[in-house]
Amino acid sequence: CSRPQKVCLCPFLPIHPLKVSTCLYIIQHPAEESRVLRTVPLLAACLPPDKCKILVGRRFSEDRYPELAAVCRNPNTVILYPGAEATNLEEVAVMSSRPSVMIIIDGTWSQAKDIFYKNSLFRLPKQVQLKTNISSQYVIRTQPTNTCLSTLECAAVALTIMEKNKSIQETILRPLQALCSFQLQHGAQIHHSKEHLLKNGLYDKPMPKNKRKLRRMELLVNNVKI
């Protein structure tokens, strides 16, 4: 896990990489590389190298990324990105020919949105989303809403659905739970979602002057899906 011995997460990783048929392509925003408490390295440590491929960048053209372009054109590829055009992954997974490749964008919501809409390649695969009410266990980082999940958590839930194996989720989440536990023991604070803080009058930052951002906060308070 490349962490100091005192907070080593290796005992919480699977002894052998999980055997999965699905290949993940993690499209990582460059800003994520500098974050100390990232979840993607933990995800990669749980899977075989050929089943978890990480590409870092903002723009992905067909000329520079021919392998990715071929993946995006593969009918068995899906991209995990919620929205009106997205199909629930559970519905896709029950089909006889289940997806063999899933693309997941790793970054903040605004970074993920920028990557998704400014790269035409990512609108070629079938768009899917997770229909889940579980709360994020990544409690040392603030999420927009109570049900927003980290990249590792999204991958864990998605692989469980696609592989039809509930133990996958438990195995992948174990190092994340240990990471949060270690951080809390060493002074970190539990981060409630922005939705929780706003609804309970605990949001202590200045309200944005930008009308679009202010509108998003109003939607969070009123429990409107954004």
Side-chain angles (χ1 to χ4, degrees):
C1 69
S2 302
R3 287 167 59 86
Q5 186 65 35
K6 192 181 350 182
V7 290
C8 178
L9 297 175
C10 291
F12 304 95
L13 296 170
I15 298 175
H16 302 290
L18 292 171
K19 293 182 179 180
V20 294
S21 59
T22 306
C23 178
L24 299 182
Y25 272 78
I26 308 298
I27 307 301
Q28 187 175 81
H29 190 279
E32 286 295 313
E33 282 191 297
S34 61
R35 292 186 182 275
V36 177
L37 303 175
R38 296 174 293 155
T39 65
V40 168
L42 297 180
L43 172 63
C46 292
L47 300 171
D50 64 328
K51 296 300 183 182
C52 186
K53 303 183 180 183
I54 303 169
L55 299 177
V56 181
R58 292 185 178 88
R59 302 293 174 261
F60 297 86
S61 65
E62 186 163 0
D63 291 340
R64 291 185 61 190
Y65 296 89
E67 178 187 345
L68 179 62
V71 167
C72 289
R73 287 192 164 83
N74 186 330
N76 290 324
T77 297
V78 295
I79 184 165
L80 185 62
Y81 189 85
E85 303 299 318
T87 303
N88 290 335
L89 182 59
E90 291 88 346
E91 298 176 22
V92 176
V94 298
M95 299 178 184
S96 55
S97 178
R98 67 183 181 185
S100 58
V101 181
M102 170 173 278
I103 298 171
I104 301 177
I105 303 175
D106 180 43
T108 65
W109 285 101
S110 59
Q111 290 167 350
K113 182 178 181 180
D114 179 73
I115 289 175
F116 180 76
Y117 284 106
K118 291 186 178 179
N119 289 280
S120 57
L121 282 178
F122 297 143
R123 290 190 296 284
L124 295 176
K126 186 175 185 62
Q127 187 179 340
V128 298
Q129 61 188 1
L130 299 176
K131 185 180 179 181
T132 177
N133 292 320
I134 67 172
S135 295
S136 175
Q137 296 184 43
Y138 193 23
V139 295
I140 55 175
R141 186 169 174 180
T142 304
Q143 303 289 357
T145 71
N146 295 333
T147 55
C148 286
L149 304 177
S150 66
T151 300
L152 177 143
E153 291 171 306
C154 286
V157 175
L159 285 173
T160 294
I161 294 170
M162 296 167 75
E163 301 288 324
K164 298 179 175 60
N165 184 347
K166 292 184 178 180
S167 67
I168 289 177
Q169 184 173 332
E170 179 183 342
T171 301
I172 293 179
L173 291 184
R174 193 175 297 126
L176 176 66
Q177 294 163 349
L179 169 66
C180 292
S181 178
F182 279 140
Q183 293 304 124
L184 293 173
Q185 290 171 24
H186 288 81
Q189 299 293 316
I190 291 179
H191 287 224
H192 293 290
S193 71
K194 189 178 292 185
E195 175 189 12
H196 174 90
L197 296 175
L198 287 168
K199 285 183 175 181
N200 291 276
L202 301 173
Y203 192 77
D204 57 1
K205 295 182 180 179
M207 295 300 283
K209 295 181 180 179
N210 181 289
K211 290 184 178 180
R212 180 177 59 82
K213 292 183 178 179
L214 192 59
R215 176 58 179 162
R216 286 177 64 86
M217 285 196 168
E218 290 174 354
L219 293 175
L220 282 176
V221 173
N222 296 318
N223 202 30
V224 177
K225 186 176 181 180
I226 59 175

